[in-house]
Amino acid sequence: MKEQPYILPRVEMKRDGDELNIKLKEANSGEYQLLMGSLPVREKIVKVIATSTTGEFCVTVSRTELPKYFLIKSKNFSTNLFAERVLPLANAINVRDMGGYEANDGRILKWGILFRGDQLSKIDETDQQILTNYNLQTIVDYRSPHERRFHPNKFLPTVVQILNCDPQSSFSEAAASVVDLKGENEKLVQSLENGDVPERYINDRGENVIESYQDMVTSPVAQKAYGRFLKAVVRKEDLPLLHHCRGGKDRTGFGSMLVLLLLNIKDDDVIKDYMLTKIIRKDRNQLKYDLYHELVQKKSYLDYLMAMIDTRESYVKAAIAKIRELFGTPENYFQEHFGLTMAEINQARDFYLEKGVDNCD
């Protein structure tokens, strides 16, 4: 059974095939209703599909019937709207809805409109159908031309706009010049053995990743790439939008941080969104470690390699801190660095954010 890494603070969800288990944490006595709808609009979610006195529900929702959106209600209580955060795709593990996060003014980021992910080069027909059901209109691809050439995304008939926005990040250089995972691993190990990596980075601290994230804050190439992405967001061009790189961690993690800061999401939720990748990629990273270990046994080398693929709060916090150090506020950053106006920023916030419920049982 696949457990969602995070839905809402009080909602847990697991999927086993077509079976969904949904749980309201800290439920009180009384009858709870689970409501479901096909649109991410609270007023449209009116069909009661299950009741419970414990706040726990087990329902059948086929992957191919997605998207589905939910509410849990009782006489004096309602959750905010929620859905499966990580889309249950067979061949892309990190495609997820960015909805449900809380802004500093108490509003909630809408579901079903902004998505982040890993590459769509290996998805099968069922995965394609699921993504098509979400009516994705825009794909923002942070991968290099080399990556796109050797691992092209599969076709989605709903997509009307593809924006190639390569920020040429230093933490994606290996991915940009190899064809497969084996080649990438060999190149990384070879760079260590050749002395190409400065000695101060060969440890478990991830200092080179931290510096890369900080560099992205002001990099002219990243400014152009992410500026194009942010302008598509604020202009509400062809939504829903999915932005992605290869693994959905660094380039997409940085882009997600930017758009959440743009929308005034609380820092805690910005960091939470970033750190979900650590949970999602746990098994993949263990596989990577095993493959590294086949190539090299030196502990400091393994520490360095794992720091490169890890997802750590220190990485995203360093970027946020750099923005505030250089520009004072995110709003200043988006205006001065990306050329957005405060009117555009406020209009985007009004469009992407909605009032949440404030009642409780």
Side-chain angles (χ1 to χ4, degrees), residues 231-296:
K231 285 181 173 63
V233 171
V234 300
R235 293 170 183 168
K236 303 177 284 293
E237 296 176 8
D238 300 314
L239 301 172
L241 175 151
L242 166 70
H243 64 122
H244 78 92
C245 54
R246 186 183 60 165
K249 181 177 84 76
D250 292 314
R251 290 168 286 183
T252 302
F254 192 91
S256 297
M257 175 204 73
L258 290 179
V259 75
L260 292 176
L261 289 176
L262 177 79
L263 298 177
N264 197 32
I265 301 301
K266 292 181 176 179
D267 280 6
D268 285 351
D269 276 3
V270 176
I271 295 166
K272 184 193 298 289
D273 176 73
Y274 178 78
M275 290 302 295
L276 295 187
T277 292
K278 187 179 185 73
I279 301 171
I280 293 165
R281 287 165 50 109
K282 180 181 178 181
D283 292 342
R284 181 185 182 279
N285 283 1
Q286 182 60 52
L287 172 64
K288 292 269 286 184
Y289 177 84
D290 293 340
L291 293 173
Y292 289 148
H293 203 267
E294 291 177 4
L295 297 171
V296 66

Side-chain angles (χ1 to χ4, degrees), residues 36-82:
M36 183 176 75
S38 297
L39 296 173
V41 179
R42 185 176 184 86
E43 293 74 19
K44 300 289 186 179
I45 303 176
V46 295
K47 182 181 179 181
V48 177
I49 60 169
T51 59
S52 167
T53 58
T54 64
E56 297 186 37
F57 307 89
C58 182
V59 295
T60 299
V61 180
S62 170
R63 293 193 304 137
T64 56
E65 294 175 356
L66 297 175
K68 297 296 181 187
Y69 302 94
F70 302 92
L71 294 169
I72 298 175
K73 288 186 174 183
S74 67
K75 184 178 180 180
N76 299 307
F77 168 80
S78 175
T79 63
N80 288 318
L81 183 152
F82 63 91

Side-chain angles (χ1 to χ4, degrees), residues 1 133 150 195 205 234 237 273 352 356 359:
M1 183 171 291
N133 291 349
F150 283 97
R205 294 192 293 271
V234 300
E237 296 176 8
D273 176 73
Y352 288 99
N359 57 356

